[in-house]
Amino acid sequence: MEYKKLLIAKNEEDTELAAKGTSVYDASPECKSQSENKNHIKQSARQEAGSLITIISITIWVIFIKKAETTINPTTTTTTIGVSTTKIAMPTTSTMETTMLTSLIDSHTTTMNEPKLNRWKQNAITVAGGNGQGQELNQLNWPEGIFIDKNKNIFIADYFNHRIVEWKCNAKQGQIIAGGNYEGNQMDQLNSPRDVIIDEQNHSIIVADQGNSRVIQWLNQTQQILIHNINCYGLAMDKYGFLYVSDWNRDEVRRWKMGEYNEGIVVAGGNGKGNKLNQLNFPTFIFVDEDQSVYVSDRENHRVMKWKKDAKEGTIVAGGNGRGAYLNQLSEPAGVAVDDLGHIYVADCNNHRIMRWCEAKEEGEIVIGENVEGTKSNQLDRPRDLSFDDEGNLYVADDWNQRIEKFERIL
């Protein structure tokens, strides 16, 4: 009976020790000491293995970051991570030096992706003229300024035909809407019109009647001279209804409030002929943006100038490096337009091409007319003016080819 009691007690003790994760035979001091040594060795091994895993993980992260820094695209967000050197105490008698990735960010540089630039098919569609030089309704005679309305109708200053013609969208011929009664200075006549715009508020036609030194308005076949005695060339109107006119003889651009045609206000040039930043030399076509900044084709200075509202001098935004055909040059620039992104488009007349310039860039790029002058659909010959429709298609007055070309935007 006593033996059974001892056996039961031992079994109960074994069960209790088993639950604690040890053995009944570890109860002696000698066994206990051996067990502690074994546990210490196991723990040290685990710590060493854990430290090695940490070092390997850190090394992998450092290699990953280095590769990322060398392969990252310059137009995406770039983050420079600080790297410090730290000593990690190992359970052995020596220490090892390792490179660790810290959470400190030394600098953060972000480069925004540049917006996608518009491109156009290089083979144009002839949308007006193109039937030789002449005075028939399907012909043009040295087309100068053009205007595209919201319905994609094209208004053309038909210079040597002394008329303004409108070509409806997809029409085979135009219709005379001003002049066309031979060269003359009567109210129903024009003399070498240079430019034309449409006043969207009353749908009247405003013409730079250069040969008669006047700006004249046509509304339902009723004419009114808006400005007398001006050597007018280019026209523009801002969103507030102010009228801008370039004067090639006075080397200036003036602004008038519609209905108040006094002397006007000089908004560009007006300091005599010259090449200083406050001067112009034969200003031709002009453009006014949403901020009422005026862009002027400064023909004899072979540059395009931007005059901010109320500025005393302009800044060069295209050309300005003498006459030439390099990408930082222009040769007698003519028509000018600016898109919503602030890119400047110039009809580089004597280089037979359309250029795009970005402010603060030293060079422009050719967007139309990389080939020499000619009559093919991918060629131009003395482009005079340009304009865009609301879909971004580009229209060019191809002067010496007696046609208006439409270059479709690539979607």
Side-chain angles (χ1 to χ4, degrees):
M1 293 295 294
E2 185 176 354
Y3 173 77
K4 288 182 178 180
K5 289 180 180 179
L6 290 172
L7 184 60
I8 291 171
K10 183 178 182 301
N11 289 338
E12 290 175 351
E13 186 178 0
D14 286 345
T15 302
E16 183 179 354
L17 291 173
K20 293 181 180 180
T22 183
S23 171
V24 65
Y25 301 106
D26 294 335
S28 66
E30 183 178 354
C31 290
K32 185 176 181 180
S33 177
Q34 292 176 358
S35 176
E36 288 177 351
N37 289 336
K38 289 179 181 179
N39 287 337
H40 179 71
I41 292 171
K42 289 180 180 179
Q43 290 174 1
S44 298
R46 289 193 189 100
Q47 290 175 357
E48 185 173 354
S51 299
L52 289 173
I53 291 171
T54 301
I55 294 168
I56 292 170
S57 299
I58 291 169
T59 304
I60 292 172
W61 271 105
V62 171
I63 293 171
F64 173 78
I65 293 298
K66 290 294 183 182
K67 286 185 177 180
E69 287 177 350
T70 58
T71 59
I72 194 164
N73 191 312
T75 60
T76 59
T77 302
T78 304
T79 304
T80 304
I81 305 296
V83 178
S84 65
T85 301
T86 305
K87 291 185 177 181
I88 302 177
M90 298 299 292
T92 59
T93 57
S94 63
T95 61
M96 66 180 298
E97 189 173 355
T98 183
T99 303
M100 294 185 63
L101 185 66
T102 70
S103 60
L104 176 64
I105 298 178
D106 292 331
S107 64
H108 182 77
T109 305
T110 303
T111 303
M112 298 299 293
N113 287 328
E114 292 187 1
K116 183 179 179 181
L117 297 176
N118 286 335
R119 300 290 176 187
W120 294 269
K121 296 178 181 178
Q122 293 300 299
N123 290 292
I125 301 170
T126 299
V127 291
N131 297 299
Q133 181 179 0
Q135 61 182 4
E136 300 298 325
L137 291 179
N138 68 343
Q139 293 179 309
L140 298 171
N141 194 349
W142 306 102
E144 289 278 326
I146 59 175
F147 183 92
I148 315 298
D149 71 7
K150 295 178 181 179
N151 297 318
K152 299 182 179 61
N153 300 319
I154 309 166
F155 299 82
I156 307 165
D158 195 3
Y159 187 75
F160 278 125
N161 280 330
H162 313 290
R163 66 189 185 186
I164 305 299
V165 290
E166 177 187 3
W167 286 63
K168 298 287 188 182
C169 184
N170 299 321
K172 299 300 181 183
Q173 64 180 26
Q175 57 182 349
I176 301 170
I177 57 174
N181 299 306
Y182 305 104
E183 174 186 348
N185 60 7
Q186 300 300 310
M187 291 296 289
D188 64 344
Q189 293 179 308
L190 297 173
N191 184 356
S192 307
R194 282 288 188 184
D195 202 5
V196 57
I197 60 173
I198 305 300
D199 184 346
E200 301 282 4
Q201 294 183 352
N202 59 15
H203 305 289
S204 65
I205 305 158
I206 301 175
V207 182
D209 189 10
Q210 187 185 73
N212 287 322
S213 301
R214 65 189 183 186
V215 175
I216 189 169
Q217 181 184 54
W218 290 60
L219 179 60
N220 298 324
Q221 295 303 313
T222 300
Q223 301 83 34
Q224 177 187 1
I225 298 175
L226 302 181
I227 305 170
H228 295 266
N229 302 318
I230 181 171
N231 293 290
C232 51
Y233 202 113
L235 302 173
M237 184 174 287
D238 66 22
K239 63 182 180 181
Y240 302 106
F242 288 96
L243 177 64
Y244 299 73
V245 186
S246 65
D247 188 323
W248 61 267
N249 189 42
R250 293 182 179 178
D251 300 296
E252 65 184 18
V253 178
R254 287 181 180 258
R255 181 182 69 210
W256 281 267
K257 184 177 181 180
M258 293 295 286
E260 298 179 8
Y261 298 103
N262 40 38
E263 291 299 316
I265 299 172
V266 176
V267 294
N271 296 296
K273 189 183 301 294
N275 60 8
K276 296 180 181 178
L277 293 180
N278 67 343
Q279 294 179 309
L280 298 170
N281 188 352
F282 207 110
T284 59
F285 292 98
I286 57 177
F287 182 90
V288 181
D289 68 13
E290 291 291 311
D291 299 322
Q292 293 182 294
S293 295
V294 182
Y295 297 78
V296 187
S297 271
D298 192 8
R299 192 177 83 175
E300 297 304 315
N301 283 326
H302 310 289
R303 66 188 185 184
V304 174
M305 301 290 290
K306 177 183 179 181
W307 290 65
K308 293 184 178 180
K309 185 180 179 182
D310 301 325
K312 300 301 181 183
E313 63 179 28
T315 57
I316 301 171
V317 293
N321 295 296
R323 180 175 184 168
Y326 291 110
L327 292 180
N328 67 343
Q329 293 179 308
L330 297 169
S331 180
E332 295 191 6
V336 58
V338 182
D339 66 16
D340 293 337
L341 299 175
H343 299 141
I344 302 122
Y345 295 82
V346 186
D348 191 7
C349 184
N350 287 347
N351 284 325
H352 319 289
R353 64 192 185 186
I354 305 299
M355 299 282 290
R356 173 168 54 206
W357 293 69
C358 301
E359 282 194 58
K361 293 290 183 70
E362 294 183 358
E363 293 184 346
E365 63 172 322
I366 302 170
V367 294
I368 299 294
E370 292 189 77
N371 305 289
V372 296
E373 74 271 22
T375 61
K376 296 179 180 179
S377 62
N378 63 347
Q379 293 177 311
L380 299 171
D381 197 344
R382 273 78 174 180
R384 298 296 299 164
D385 198 12
L386 56 85
S387 187
F388 295 94
D389 64 22
D390 56 4
E391 294 180 353
N393 299 309
L394 174 60
Y395 297 75
V396 180
D398 192 9
D399 196 37
W400 283 27
N401 283 326
Q402 318 298 338
R403 65 190 183 186
I404 308 300
E405 297 286 78
K406 175 184 176 181
F407 295 88
E408 295 181 315
R409 185 168 71 93
I410 299 173
L411 300 176

